[in-house]
């Protein structure tokens, strides 16, 4: 009786294991014949935010610099360069800044182009490498073959702020002239490099993360009188207003961080739109230290009294009419970030805002050229009112 009971139990277990409620997994897995590829894509062509290759927002990853035939309308490019910054200002830039961002799968076509392999031991060579890489990618034909999109757009993830100089040099050649700069930052970054307290200064030391716009202005890369600093709360060098005088000569409008208390978010947005005409080619340079370090501690030169992420996001959404031809997000230092990686999260959201703005502009231009209106002309953000000008 005991042996019979054991046999019965073993047989029952075998029957249960062989009869899954999901059917025969080996039989189900063998997808063959007509439509097999479509079936495989239906089953497996998706990724969770925490899985897969860590491209930004799960965008298609392409080593664009290795493939001259790679086309795109907008691309993220990582620039792991920080040796033009302060020695206590490390960066860990990566094209996969964070993963928990909803993917973009619509036209115009966005891709993640990976990183520029910038040398960490020779700043002069690094500057040349970055300039050539930006020029190579910025000169490509866009994937969306439409006369309204003659050039692709690059969103650069740094890296320290000096990477704006090679980007502006490349844009000058791509667009055949200077561009306006919309600069979100706690600091001016238009400092004459001679003002740095260095008795052993050299020409190479002029290339740093606080003087790149000074250099760009000297080279005629920035449209004088059409550029803006937003979120300033910087300290000045010396005991005079010379820094502001230099900044005035370079043609920047200054919006301080505490101006938002007087004029509000809409007032800041209107000031920017009044300064920069909608059709003017504009480079958006976003230093993460424009935000308050209590919210975004992960940066090398924190300044108390900054804007909140909500304020910055709302301002960016109010600037979708601008002709942003390129952008960067810089000075993110994960080594100084909190355990929740809030600085990287905000930086990723800023990148997402820029990309979705470009997508919305692209769809709007296509529909306008076709002579029709579309609900997809602008990326709609619930609860956000557009400024009326």
């Amino acid at each position: 009786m005991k042996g019979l009971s054991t046999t019965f139990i073993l047989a029952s277990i075998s029957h249960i294991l062989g009869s899954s409620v999901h059917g025969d997994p080996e039989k189900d897995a063998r997808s063959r014949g007509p439509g097999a590829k479509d079936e495989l894509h239906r089953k497996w062509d998706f990724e969770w935010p925490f899985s897969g290759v860590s491209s930004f927002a799960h965008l298609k990853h392409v080593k664009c610099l290795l493939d001259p035939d790679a086309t795109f309308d907008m691309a993220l490019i990582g620039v792991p360069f920080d040796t033009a910054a302060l020695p206590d200002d490390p960066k860990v830039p990566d094209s996969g800044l964070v993963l928990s961002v909803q993917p973009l799968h619509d036209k115009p076509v966005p891709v993640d182009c990976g990183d520029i392999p910038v040398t960490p031991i020779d700043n002069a060579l690094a500057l040349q490498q970055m300039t050539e890489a930006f020029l190579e990618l910025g000169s490509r034909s866009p994937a969306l073959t439409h006369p309204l999109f003659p050039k692709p757009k690059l969103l650069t993830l740094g890296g320290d702020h000096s990477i704006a100089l090679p980007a502006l040099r490349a844009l000058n050649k791509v667009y055949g002239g200077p561009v306006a700069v919309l600069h979100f930052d706690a600091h001016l970054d238009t400092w004459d490099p001679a003002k740095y307290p260095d008795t052993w200064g050299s020409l190479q030391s002029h290339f740093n993360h606080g003087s790149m716009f000074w250099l760009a202005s000297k080279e005629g890369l920035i449209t004088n009188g059409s550029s803006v600093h937003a979120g300033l709360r910087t300290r000045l060098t010396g005991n005079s207003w010379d820094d502001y005088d230099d900044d005035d000569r370079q043609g920047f409008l200054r919006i301080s961080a505490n101006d938002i208390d007087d004029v509000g978010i809409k007032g800041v947005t209107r000031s920017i739109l009044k300064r920069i005409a909608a059709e003017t080619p504009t480079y958006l340079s976003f230093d993460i230290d424009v935000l308050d370090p209590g919210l975004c501690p992960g940066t090398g030169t924190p300044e108390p009294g900054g804007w909140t992420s909500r304020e910055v996001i709302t301002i960016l959404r109010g600037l979708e009419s601008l002709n942003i031809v390129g952008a960067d997000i810089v000075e993110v230092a994960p080594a100084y970030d909190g355990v929740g990686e809030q600085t990287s999260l905000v930086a990723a959201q800023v990148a997402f805002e820029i990309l979705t703005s470009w997508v919305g502009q692209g769809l709007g231009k296509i529909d306008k050229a076709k002579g029709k209106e579309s609900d997809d002309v602008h990326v709609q953000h619930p609860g956000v009112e557009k400024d009326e000008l």
Side-chain angles (χ1 to χ4, degrees), residues 263-341:
V263 301
I265 294 174
K266 287 187 176 182
V268 171
T269 304
R270 289 193 183 100
S271 295
I272 295 171
L273 294 176
K274 183 177 179 181
R275 182 72 167 189
I276 305 175
E279 68 277 3
T280 302
T282 303
Y283 183 75
L284 194 164
S285 191
F286 192 97
D287 189 324
I288 200 67
D289 69 25
V290 72
L291 289 115
D292 190 87
L295 301 172
C296 290
T299 188
T301 51
E303 299 283 356
W307 286 341
T308 68
S309 55
R310 178 180 58 82
E311 290 167 339
V312 164
I313 290 169
T314 305
I315 291 170
L316 289 172
R317 290 176 179 177
L319 301 174
E320 291 181 349
S321 61
L322 292 179
N323 181 22
I324 304 297
V325 297
D328 65 48
I329 301 171
V330 295
E331 301 287 339
V332 176
Y336 301 150
D337 209 354
V339 294
E341 299 181 339

Side-chain angles (χ1 to χ4, degrees), residues 33-257:
K37 186 174 181 180
D38 291 338
E39 178 64 12
L40 289 172
H41 275 264
R42 185 189 68 80
K43 287 182 175 180
W44 310 117
D45 190 21
F46 75 97
E47 290 174 341
W48 296 104
F50 50 81
S51 66
V53 177
S54 59
S55 65
F56 186 90
H58 286 286
L59 295 177
K60 181 181 179 181
H61 180 262
V62 181
K63 288 194 172 183
C64 305
L65 288 170
L66 301 182
D67 184 359
D69 297 322
T71 59
F72 47 84
D73 301 307
M74 59 194 74
L76 288 107
I77 183 75
V79 183
F81 177 77
D82 67 354
T83 54
L86 300 177
D88 62 343
D89 191 21
K91 309 294 181 299
V92 188
D94 192 297
S95 291
L97 196 56
V98 299
L99 299 179
S100 56
V101 182
Q102 181 180 353
L104 297 164
H105 294 301
D106 209 342
K107 290 273 189 172
V109 179
V111 299
D112 184 334
C113 282
D115 293 342
I116 302 173
V118 184
T119 177
I121 57 176
D122 186 334
N123 282 9
L125 177 57
L127 178 57
Q128 178 185 347
Q129 290 175 319
M130 289 185 283
T131 304
E132 289 190 17
F134 286 138
L135 185 58
E136 167 67 28
L137 297 177
S139 301
R140 297 278 177 88
S141 297
L144 188 61
T145 54
H146 195 286
L148 292 174
F149 302 95
K151 308 292 181 185
K153 300 175 186 288
L154 300 179
L155 172 54
T156 305
L157 305 181
D160 70 49
H161 215 153
S162 64
I163 67 173
L165 178 61
L168 289 170
R169 286 179 174 177
L171 285 172
N172 182 264
K173 293 184 178 180
V174 170
Y175 285 89
V179 299
V181 171
L182 174 53
H183 176 219
F184 287 84
D185 203 320
H187 311 94
L188 290 170
D189 291 352
T190 55
W191 283 298
D192 184 337
K195 291 185 176 181
Y196 278 82
D198 184 5
T199 57
W200 293 73
S202 65
L203 287 177
Q204 184 55 57
S205 69
H206 289 187
F207 174 52
N208 61 72
H209 72 156
S211 297
M212 66 284 172
F213 291 136
W214 185 89
L215 293 172
S217 295
K218 291 293 182 181
E219 295 178 18
L221 308 179
I222 299 177
T223 303
N224 194 301
S226 298
S227 296
V228 177
H229 300 298
L232 291 175
R233 53 196 187 279
T234 186
R235 293 168 177 80
L236 304 180
T237 62
N239 299 315
S240 68
W241 302 104
D242 289 349
D243 291 347
Y244 284 161
D245 294 336
D246 287 344
D247 194 65
D248 288 339
R249 282 189 287 270
Q250 296 173 52
F252 278 85
L253 170 70
R254 292 184 295 275
I255 300 174
S256 68

